Amino acid sequence: MTGETPSGDGDADRAFDADVAIVGGGPAGCSAGVFTARYGLETVVFDRGSSSLRRCACLENYLGFPCGIDVETFLELAQTHAVEAGCRLREDLVESVAALTDDEFEEDDGEPEGAAEREGFRLEPQEGDPLTARFVVAATKYDGEYLRGLDDDGALFVTEDGADGSIERFDRAYPDDEGRTPVDGLYVAGPLAGCGDQAIITAGHGATVARALLRDLRQREGYWGTFATQYDWRRDREDRQEEWADPERWVDRLAATAPDDRDADEIRRLAESYVADRDETYIDTETASRRAERGQRRLADILDDEVLLEAVDDAAILERAAALERSE
């Protein structure tokens, strides 16, 4: 993939070019982007095209590919998935990330109120225009140099003794297990966070970090406890219990655990929003089947045509051709 792909329908905060900027288009970055974009956040993934994974001759231990998969096809699938989820993909190298200052925000009626909402970052790429984002996910493997200066005490980097003398590198202990850092709005995913090098583990960590970001965002929006956790899954509508479709039940449930600073109107607003989002996770059998077929066709689009033809039984091909001829 090259260039910048069109975005989905995410509704970005008007004070920023994007809600989330992800630096790194490998397994961790794309996985994080799938979760944030599906939540509705305007997400941009920067990919410089030199992922360390490309040095792997064949990826043979990623679950779901029984005989392995070549790395180029895997990365194309990962980045296509991110784009299908709503991410914009920019093929560019981020040279620096800096905290926004007050005078960099737009001075108009759309300016967010409150210091917490005004925090954000400015990303300077090697080519193209700078981009501002409310959140940044650093998902590169080796180099965190573009993050230098974001902290106040220099704790982002540590000095170690190497074969050629002392070296300075990003401190992989700086983020917590879910990728949070002391810099508000900055998250770290994948090997840069010390999670390991295996692709399947870094992809899982990318999803973990994205869910931590979404939970933090929902807490800022007023949710708490389990209600702040966002579950991205689709459920069979036949399993839906109608009594839990009633917002009043959720009003009572939220009220039972609400912090003291939440008033009745706020609890009702959050409950109605929560049940509306929950209701959208249920789909009927026909929709599920249609999406499954679409997923298989999308996968087939990426696979090599000759390999697909060799894998299909000759009799099935002849039968399909005859059916198409009869329909004309």
Side-chain angles (χ1 to χ4, degrees), residues 33-57:
V34 166
F35 277 78
T36 58
R38 281 174 59 85
Y39 187 72
L41 299 182
E42 182 78 12
T43 302
V44 176
V45 179
F46 286 88
D47 177 46
R48 64 180 178 182
S50 58
S51 169
S52 61
L53 185 60
R54 285 188 167 88
R55 292 201 298 275
C56 175

Side-chain angles (χ1 to χ4, degrees), residues 112-323:
E113 297 178 358
E117 294 187 31
R118 294 185 55 153
E119 294 166 349
F121 304 91
R122 180 183 182 87
L123 292 85
E124 294 284 352
Q126 192 173 67
E127 302 174 359
D129 296 331
L131 178 136
T132 60
R134 185 177 181 186
F135 302 102
V136 167
V137 178
T140 51
K141 178 176 180 179
Y142 299 115
D143 186 15
E145 186 66 26
Y146 56 91
L147 300 174
R148 188 177 292 277
L150 279 177
D151 59 333
D152 295 327
D153 53 8
L156 272 169
F157 292 84
V158 294
T159 301
E160 295 180 342
D161 292 331
D164 300 324
S166 61
I167 57 174
E168 195 175 38
R169 66 163 178 81
F170 181 82
D171 185 4
R172 286 169 172 75
Y174 190 72
D176 67 14
D177 290 342
E178 293 186 310
R180 296 183 185 87
T181 73
V183 179
D184 192 30
L186 173 66
Y187 297 79
V188 184
L192 195 63
C195 78
D197 295 331
Q198 297 293 307
I200 194 166
I201 296 174
T202 63
H205 192 253
T208 296
V209 172
R211 294 189 70 222
L213 185 158
L214 295 177
R215 185 163 58 251
D216 294 344
L217 176 61
R218 288 171 63 82
Q219 286 174 343
R220 292 187 183 193
E221 293 172 347
Y223 288 104
W224 61 90
T226 59
F227 302 108
T229 300
Q230 192 268 340
Y231 295 95
D232 186 357
W233 64 330
R234 295 295 176 261
R235 294 176 274 196
D236 191 333
R237 185 166 289 277
E238 293 183 0
D239 294 334
R240 181 172 177 264
Q241 297 176 312
E242 291 301 323
E243 63 267 26
W244 286 108
D246 181 6
E248 293 302 321
R249 294 202 66 174
W250 289 102
V251 170
D252 294 340
R253 188 167 182 179
L254 267 71
T257 61
D260 294 338
D261 61 349
R262 306 297 196 276
D263 59 28
D265 290 340
E266 177 73 357
I267 292 172
R268 176 168 295 279
R269 180 187 69 79
L270 291 169
E272 291 175 350
S273 177
Y274 187 88
V275 73
D277 291 341
R278 187 174 186 273
D279 189 58
E280 289 183 0
T281 67
Y282 289 95
I283 58 176
D284 56 42
T285 302
E286 181 180 350
T287 300
S289 297
R290 187 168 61 250
R291 292 185 180 182
E293 180 180 351
R294 178 177 178 270
Q296 293 189 19
R297 290 184 181 278
R298 194 67 181 88
L299 177 62
D301 287 342
I302 293 176
L303 299 180
D304 184 85
D305 290 342
E306 291 186 8
V307 173
L308 284 174
L309 289 173
E310 289 177 3
V312 179
D313 182 79
D314 290 345
I317 294 176
L318 293 174
E319 182 180 346
R320 177 62 174 167

